Amino acid sequence: MTVEKPRIGVYICDCGLNILGVVDVPAVVRYAATFDNVVAAKEYKYMCSDPGQDLIKKDIKELKLNRVVVASCTPTLHERTFRTTVSTAGLNPFLFHMVNIREAVSWVTVDKKRATEKAKILVKAGVMRVTLQEPLEPKTEPVAPGILVIGGGIAGIHASLALANAGTKVHLVEREPSIGGNMARFDKTFPTLDCSSCILTPKMTTLKVHPNINLYSYSEVVGVEGYVGNFDVTIERKPRYVNEELCIGCLKCIEACVFKDARFPNDFDLGLAKRKPIYIPFPQAVPTKVLIDPDDCLFLKLGKCKQTCVDACEKDAIDFEQKPERVNLKVGSIIVATGFKTFDPTRKPQYGYGVLPNVFTALEAERLLSPTGPTEGIPLLKDGTMPKTIGIIHCIGSRDENTNVYCSKVCCMYSLKLAHLVKERTGAEVYNFYIDMRTTGKGYEEFYKKLLEEGVRFVRGRVAELTTAPLSPGEKGKLIVRVEDTLAGYVRRIPVDMAILSVGLEPQNDAQELRRMLNLSCGKEGFLMELHPKLAPVSTATDGIYIAGACQGPKDIPDTVAQAGAAASEALALVHRGMVEIEPYVAVTNEDLCSGCQICVGLCPYFAIEYDAEKKVSRVKDVMCKGCGVCVAACPSGAIDQKHFRDAFVLAEVAGVI
Amino acid sequence: MAQAVSPPIQTTESKSEGSSFEPKIVAFFCNWCTYAASDLAGISRMKYAPNVKIVRVMCSGRIDPSFVIEAFRSGADGVMIGGCNPGDCHYKEGNYKTMRRYMLLSRMLQDFGIEKERFRLEWICASCARELQETVDKMTADIKRLGPLDWKGV
């Protein structure tokens, strides 16, 4: 290797006032200019802008720079930008180093003098590091053509259709027996009052017959290995005890079941309606295939039954011998669209959910309002009578220091929608108890105005409790809402017949397991974390995995659909490119130093190190190495090093920062 | 291979005793969790002690014990390692290996007379900017109380 004298260019970014406002950039530039081998040290307002990048390119050519340092924002944001800059000017992109003086200095330091000192030190460390860096070639690998979509709610459905329409093979995995998610439970959607089924079910049926979509309903993703472009996915198909290929959805088996009455709670109706052991979750289910619940079915539970369902099935589709099946797939990209669960209101016992009669969650109210729901669209009380007054209580499990501090975003609007619908169907007096009305969306404020004109009552104040203990004869037999009316300025007791709790949105119960399987990050509240809140809202820190819908945070249907489209386009871009560049930060073995102890072999989580028994040395398999560097740190002979993170590079940086 | 440069060091940070003592702390952060947390702290404009200088590595499992020893030997008053929470490692289990090395190294450093507070391992997740800020500030305060290390190595 020819030793070329380093000629380093150092570029310090003002980032408008983001850096310049705190760090004395000219002083840092003067300091950087004093280092050995630094040929150019320059300041610019926005290094990432075209003129900023041109400045670097020009200097590389004119001053024959062979190393470049840019001190600006975090490398997560612009390392790739500047690598491209230097490589278009003919310099190997790995002879570049980025120093973070914005997120790590100017934005987190109060004292300007100390911020400037810190910036100087970091720039010095960067110069020391870049001096040692070596040219590398990025690894390129082919991208597998298929895309996995996890979750068949509206986000997963929309993303799958977008991808499939673009000609990409999609594997959609939904753990429930039918796709549709929560949207399938709703009667109407705000603010247009579109019939939810009417807009959703056509998409569901299109998806089912789409030649590019493989639908795995009643299935779960149980394993994901690999990396961007090459994910190995394991899907477990739960037994329906009905052959999906043969079942034509005639539902004769359900009629024929030895249980004459439906007596088991139907999950789709949140237990408000009953079903038989052999059932279909809801009439519009896709796929329209029945399934048997093994916990309820007499034959599966006790081994004894007349099996009238088997006799009724003309297609011989019922198969009590079915076992879980595993399917292995290779995909290039993954879209996670696993949605949300609603807040469990038993965590707020003051609202009496599950204890007091006629207290429903908003999702239950959606089912009560659905024509296919337990009360056929008329929200009735438990005794079958029509409610005369209904209270809708906002912010249950949202904006609450004791449960979730965040706003669930959709509750104000769905509460307004429910208020409109229950008033329309029952003629009842409807109260909304709210903290603030948050109606920020197209047509949302107008919808709120409309409700005000419809005579729905609004009481501003967080409800203290729901009680059945009357203080006056008028309160007898009623649910009494105790609330401080913060506009009127006194505590009120408002008797109602039915209370609807506007529960917030939370991550799914098993969101953490899924997150770990996919190697994603999540925020405090458990929602999946995007790569950048503004500029990469559907990407994740794991390349090739995208997120859409409420698994990323509470959002309404329009936002979910928009995000699903965005995720689809990102995944499509990756798959259509066909090739992916992988950072070449791999470990390399120096066989002359290797003692053959094989400590590294056992440590590698990717089985990327093999032992050559003949030569008695261990060797890193380049293509399987993910570049964590665990083996490098463990090698007792110092025989392994990591490209771009060589011991010498890290130590140079350490020496620089001290 | 070019030699490392040794530019003139002109920092105002002094090693004098008392309240003016500003400890030098080297923080090895993994790219996926703790470095991301430091980015988030920046984006959220959380202020923390500028004593901590971050060195980014891909995984906390990359941190060779010799990096830590070298940092102390060259004048660091404290060293912090930041990695993903157990079970959250981007490389499956690198952080478990870090933990094992930390246990051993921490005992060794204590035998050398380096107080426990000067060498910390922290699991800080990508969204844990608040924890990052608190940990950094606490470590800085702890070491200020302990005073300069001035360890000459073994």
Side-chain angles (χ1 to χ4, degrees):
Chain A
M1 189 176 159
T2 53
V3 180
E4 204 183 356
K5 191 174 158 52
R7 294 177 62 81
I8 305 169
V10 181
Y11 300 88
I12 315 219
C13 182
D14 293 341
C15 195
L17 285 176
N18 283 306
I19 295 170
L20 188 64
V22 182
V23 173
D24 182 356
V25 176
V28 182
V29 171
R30 284 195 300 276
Y31 178 60
T34 63
F35 302 152
D36 295 346
N37 302 325
V38 169
V39 182
K42 292 180 180 171
E43 173 184 358
Y44 191 71
K45 201 170 267 306
Y46 293 104
M47 278 318 306
C48 58
S49 68
D50 260 3
Q53 294 189 45
D54 287 345
L55 183 69
I56 301 174
K57 287 186 212 165
K58 199 166 142 263
D59 283 0
I60 291 174
K61 286 186 182 131
E62 289 178 2
L63 301 173
K64 301 202 166 24
L65 300 181
N66 55 17
R67 301 276 192 285
V68 170
V69 171
V70 173
S72 56
C73 50
T74 166
T76 329
L77 199 61
H78 276 313
E79 190 173 58
R80 270 188 201 170
T81 313
F82 293 116
R83 276 187 181 165
T84 313
T85 312
V86 300
S87 68
T88 43
L91 191 64
N92 184 284
F94 296 91
L95 295 174
F96 159 79
H97 183 67
M98 192 156 178
V99 176
N100 180 354
I101 57 166
R102 192 178 74 174
E103 282 82 350
V105 180
S106 68
W107 279 352
V108 291
T109 313
V110 187
D111 185 329
K112 293 186 178 182
K113 214 171 139 207
R114 296 193 67 198
T116 306
E117 284 311 320
K118 188 176 178 184
K120 281 183 182 175
I121 289 170
L122 293 179
V123 168
K124 181 184 75 181
V127 170
M128 288 169 76
R129 189 190 204 280
V130 85
T131 309
L132 304 179
Q133 277 172 216
E134 320 153 312
L136 296 174
E137 290 311 318
K139 294 199 285 185
T140 54
E141 290 209 23
V143 175
I147 296 176
L148 171 73
V149 178
I150 309 175
I154 181 60
I157 291 172
H158 187 79
S160 298
L161 284 173
L163 292 167
N165 287 339
T168 307
K169 195 86 203 157
V170 179
H171 307 278
L172 172 61
V173 179
E174 167 57 53
R175 68 166 153 200
E176 299 296 332
S178 169
I179 56 169
N182 278 306
M183 188 176 168
R185 289 192 165 108
F186 306 158
D187 176 37
K188 298 271 195 301
T189 56
F190 62 77
T192 48
L193 299 175
D194 281 307
C195 155
S196 189
S197 293
C198 313
I199 55 178
L200 179 65
T201 43
K203 284 180 97 101
M204 288 162 64
T205 39
T206 312
L207 188 149
K208 180 64 193 127
V209 297
H210 204 297
N212 285 338
I213 301 179
N214 281 340
L215 171 60
Y216 298 91
S217 62
Y218 209 40
S219 304
E220 292 200 50
V221 176
V222 291
V224 174
E225 296 290 327
Y227 50 95
V228 53
N230 296 281
F231 293 106
D232 293 302
V233 180
T234 311
I235 297 167
E236 185 168 295
R237 312 201 67 180
K238 295 179 267 190
R240 278 178 181 264
Y241 302 104
V242 171
N243 187 323
E244 231 182 272
E245 307 288 308
L246 297 176
C247 175
I248 51 164
C250 68
L251 314 184
K252 282 184 186 152
C253 51
I254 301 179
E255 212 170 297
C257 179
V258 290
F259 283 97
K260 286 297 155 227
D261 301 314
R263 60 163 76 166
F264 304 99
N266 188 2
D267 289 340
F268 184 79
D269 284 307
L270 309 157
L272 294 172
K274 301 279 189 274
R275 58 156 174 81
K276 292 185 180 182
I278 186 161
Y279 69 104
I280 184 162
F282 57 102
Q284 301 80 15
V286 168
T288 320
K289 313 281 177 186
V290 296
L291 73 155
I292 301 174
D293 186 332
D295 295 332
D296 302 335
C297 170
L298 283 184
F299 185 73
L300 286 169
K301 212 164 59 170
L302 307 169
K304 264 167 78 177
C305 178
K306 279 192 276 180
Q307 301 187 14
T308 42
C309 54
V310 177
D311 300 336
C313 183
E314 290 159 10
K315 306 288 282 186
D316 286 332
I318 292 172
D319 175 8
F320 290 115
E321 300 299 312
Q322 236 177 36
K323 296 272 173 300
E325 260 176 60
R326 291 210 165 187
V327 183
N328 295 308
L329 298 173
K330 192 155 195 86
V331 295
S333 174
I334 298 173
I335 294 176
V336 185
T338 47
F340 64 92
K341 74 166 166 61
T342 50
F343 175 79
D344 171 13
T346 57
R347 284 168 63 195
K348 300 288 284 180
Q350 59 268 51
Y351 300 124
Y353 179 79
V355 180
L356 303 179
N358 298 314
V359 180
F360 297 95
T361 68
L363 200 54
E364 288 170 340
E366 298 280 1
R367 290 315 297 151
L368 295 179
L369 284 162
S370 166
T372 60
T375 54
E376 291 172 349
I378 310 294
L380 299 175
L381 299 174
K382 293 250 160 97
D383 62 9
T385 59
M386 201 84 110
K388 291 188 186 63
T389 38
I390 298 173
I392 300 177
I393 305 172
H394 292 220
C395 294
I396 308 286
S398 305
R399 306 182 70 198
D400 176 2
E401 291 293 334
N402 299 315
T403 55
N404 299 314
V405 289
Y406 57 87
C407 166
S408 290
K409 203 174 172 186
V410 294
C411 322
C412 280
M413 281 308 293
Y414 79 55
S415 299
L416 292 178
K417 174 193 73 180
L418 291 174
H420 169 85
L421 294 175
V422 293
K423 198 171 170 64
E424 180 186 76
R425 308 262 166 99
T426 64
E429 186 87 80
V430 180
Y431 288 89
N432 268 269
F433 301 94
Y434 68 101
I435 310 178
D436 297 293
M437 285 306 302
R438 295 189 164 175
T439 55
T440 56
K442 198 173 178 181
Y444 291 8
E445 185 69 13
E446 291 86 334
F447 189 73
Y448 174 36
K449 278 231 169 92
K450 177 173 125 100
L451 268 277
L452 288 169
E453 284 157 17
E454 280 176 10
V456 171
R457 289 170 192 266
F458 289 88
V459 177
R460 197 184 81 174
R462 187 189 274 282
V463 171
E465 65 167 351
L466 272 174
T467 171
T468 45
L471 286 185
S472 65
E475 290 182 349
K476 219 167 158 209
K478 300 266 186 185
L479 284 164
I480 302 123
V481 182
R482 218 160 64 82
V483 58
E484 181 188 356
D485 187 330
T486 56
L487 290 179
Y490 64 100
V491 176
R492 294 174 71 176
R493 293 171 64 88
I494 298 174
V496 297
D497 296 318
M498 177 191 273
I500 297 172
L501 306 180
S502 298
V503 282
L505 271 47
E506 286 189 335
Q508 295 272 15
N509 284 330
D510 52 357
Q512 292 304 309
E513 284 102 85
L514 178 84
R515 179 180 73 76
R516 292 210 162 127
M517 187 161 66
L518 297 171
N519 233 324
L520 304 177
S521 297
C522 69
K524 269 237 139 43
E525 61 304 299
F527 290 111
L528 297 177
M529 212 156 119
E530 61 285 342
L531 186 61
H532 191 281
K534 294 172 189 73
L535 300 178
V538 297
S539 305
T540 65
T542 306
D543 281 348
I545 302 186
Y546 305 96
I547 47 179
C551 63
Q552 181 261 353
K555 59 180 63 66
D556 56 17
I557 295 167
D559 284 1
T560 298
V561 170
Q563 212 182 17
S569 88
E570 296 273 357
L572 201 58
L574 173 70
V575 170
H576 273 219
R577 200 161 59 231
M579 293 295 269
V580 63
E581 269 195 11
I582 295 173
E583 310 265 38
Y585 305 156
V586 291
V588 278
T589 337
N590 181 341
E591 291 181 17
D592 294 340
L593 291 178
C594 177
S595 66
C597 72
Q598 299 175 56
I599 285 176
C600 54
V601 176
L603 283 178
C604 179
Y606 303 103
F607 310 105
I609 308 178
E610 61 184 353
Y611 179 66
D612 181 339
E614 207 170 294
K615 290 184 79 181
K616 295 199 173 63
V617 291
S618 300
R619 204 173 287 127
V620 179
K621 283 182 276 183
D622 214 38
V623 285
M624 292 170 78
C625 175
K626 304 280 178 293
C628 64
V630 157
C631 57
V632 188
C635 179
S637 323
I640 319 178
D641 215 339
Q642 185 184 6
K643 286 186 180 173
H644 206 65
F645 284 89
R646 286 191 182 278
D647 282 355
F649 302 0
V650 180
L651 289 172
E653 218 177 323
V654 170
V657 297
I658 294 170
Chain B
M1 177 57 53
Q3 286 300 302
V5 281
S6 40
I9 297 168
Q10 306 172 345
T11 73
T12 54
E13 290 189 25
S14 67
K15 264 208 167 169
S16 62
E17 305 288 329
S19 60
S20 66
F21 163 61
E22 290 297 347
K24 291 175 181 171
I25 300 170
V26 181
F28 296 101
F29 286 171
C30 86
N31 182 62
W32 306 99
C33 291
T34 316
Y35 195 81
S38 77
D39 274 352
L40 185 63
I43 292 164
S44 319
R45 311 297 199 275
M46 291 175 178
K47 308 298 177 201
Y48 59 80
N51 304 63
V52 171
K53 315 286 190 294
I54 303 167
V55 174
R56 182 171 70 115
V57 286
M58 294 311 283
C59 178
S60 62
R62 172 67 183 92
I63 297 156
D64 195 313
S66 69
F67 294 175
V68 177
I69 296 171
E70 189 55 29
F72 279 122
R73 203 195 53 78
S74 11
D77 299 296
V79 174
M80 179 177 163
I81 296 176
C84 307
N85 279 299
D88 283 1
C89 179
H90 188 81
Y91 302 101
K92 296 188 189 176
E93 50 199 37
N95 52 357
Y96 291 121
K97 279 130 200 176
T98 313
M99 187 162 67
R100 296 196 297 221
R101 285 176 198 147
Y102 170 80
M103 301 285 197
L104 198 61
L105 185 58
S106 177
R107 277 176 55 186
M108 193 181 98
L109 291 174
Q110 285 173 61
D111 288 345
F112 289 157
I114 297 175
E115 296 90 338
K116 214 167 89 195
E117 291 83 352
R118 294 187 188 272
F119 179 41
R120 292 179 67 148
L121 170 66
E122 296 291 340
W123 308 132
I124 299 176
C125 78
S127 62
C128 300
R130 180 72 62 196
E131 279 83 344
L132 180 102
Q133 179 195 35
E134 285 166 5
T135 311
V136 162
D137 281 348
K138 181 168 186 314
M139 186 166 181
T140 310
D142 285 348
I143 297 179
K144 268 192 184 179
R145 216 171 21 252
L146 289 171
L149 175 64
D150 214 16
W151 190 60
K152 296 285 185 274
V154 278

